[in-house]
Amino acid sequence: MLHGTFGEDGTIQGLLELADIPYVGAGVLGSAAGMDKDVMKSLFIAAGFAHCETCDCLAQCLGSEPKKVQKLVESKLKYPVFVKPANLGSSVGISKAHDRQGAGSGH
């Protein structure tokens, strides 16, 4: 059993398929899509599934234009907000910002 980056993101599945080694579980596409929260959200929306409100931005934008990202987040969401990398494991890298100061510090 594998979990997280390289385990459930399609990487190992692709390697196993290239080596013609059978495995169980989701394939490359399903694993990769499931691991990327932004891609999965888009698929859920396209399928008509209910979803919570989110605000997506690239990490490089957060680093280079934090005020712009802050305005975007605050225009769509209310504090507290959870900050989550789009393509890491289920609980890796999550932080909760209770207010604007918490959002800016990354905690």
Side-chain angles (χ1 to χ4, degrees):
M1 293 182 64
L2 301 168
H3 180 69
T5 305
F6 307 122
E8 60 181 319
D9 65 357
T11 304
I12 294 296
Q13 293 83 345
L15 177 64
L16 294 172
E17 288 186 14
L18 284 172
D20 201 27
I21 298 172
Y23 62 94
V24 297
V28 176
L29 179 60
S31 297
M35 189 70 163
D36 189 307
K37 281 51 170 184
D38 192 41
V39 169
M40 186 55 67
K41 180 184 78 173
S42 296
L43 293 171
F44 283 166
I45 290 169
F49 294 152
H51 63 285
C52 63
E53 190 64 39
T54 64
C55 181
D56 306 316
C57 72
L58 297 173
Q60 63 197 35
C61 292
L62 183 57
S64 65
E65 301 180 274
K67 294 289 184 193
K68 185 176 179 180
V69 172
Q70 181 182 42
K71 286 182 182 181
L72 175 66
V73 169
E74 290 176 347
S75 72
K76 293 185 170 196
L77 305 171
K78 295 181 188 215
Y79 291 106
V81 299
F82 288 91
V83 181
K84 170 87 174 88
N87 58 356
L88 290 178
S90 54
S91 61
V92 177
I94 294 177
S95 61
K96 182 177 182 181
H98 294 276
D99 54 30
R100 181 177 281 185
Q101 288 71 33
S105 68
H107 300 289

